[in-house]
Amino acid sequence: MSDTSNTDTVAQDIDADTGDAVGETDDDSGPAIAIYAQWAVFAILTLVALIATLQFYFSASSAIDTFVTDRYRPLFNAAFNLAVVLACGLGLSVLVRRLA
């Protein structure tokens, strides 16, 4: 019985040694690919968000043109544009604070 246990231990050591030599891969390529994939997804989502924001802006402008009389339309357009500018300024200030 003792011969079998020694043989198993030696076999495990040989498997471990050859497994390390054969199984060695460049560990830097895996995380690098994942980082590039995350940046690609971030870029795609940013582009989609930009397109959706522009479509919302033009739809809101059309809604103002449809539902607001000619007399008050410039006032509503100015208020809407001011709200958009303030929201962009707030978002940019938060982003700059996080980056700094």
Side-chain angles (χ1 to χ4, degrees):
M1 284 196 184
S2 64
D3 292 335
T4 307
S5 64
N6 289 338
T7 307
D8 289 341
T9 305
V10 172
Q12 288 174 356
D13 290 339
I14 291 171
D15 287 341
D17 290 340
T18 57
D20 290 342
V22 174
E24 284 183 13
T25 59
D26 188 15
D27 291 336
D28 294 337
S29 66
I33 292 172
I35 290 171
Y36 290 135
Q38 289 174 357
W39 277 108
V41 170
F42 177 76
I44 291 169
L45 291 176
T46 302
L47 181 64
V48 169
L50 179 65
I51 292 169
T53 302
L54 289 174
Q55 287 181 343
F56 170 75
Y57 179 81
F58 292 124
S59 295
S61 295
S62 294
I64 289 172
D65 289 341
T66 301
F67 293 112
V68 177
T69 63
D70 291 337
R71 184 175 179 186
Y72 298 110
R73 197 170 293 157
L75 180 64
F76 275 87
N77 279 330
F80 177 67
N81 289 335
L82 180 64
V84 169
V85 168
L86 290 175
C88 289
L90 179 66
L92 287 172
S93 67
V94 168
L95 183 62
V96 167
R97 286 182 185 171
R98 286 186 181 180
L99 292 175

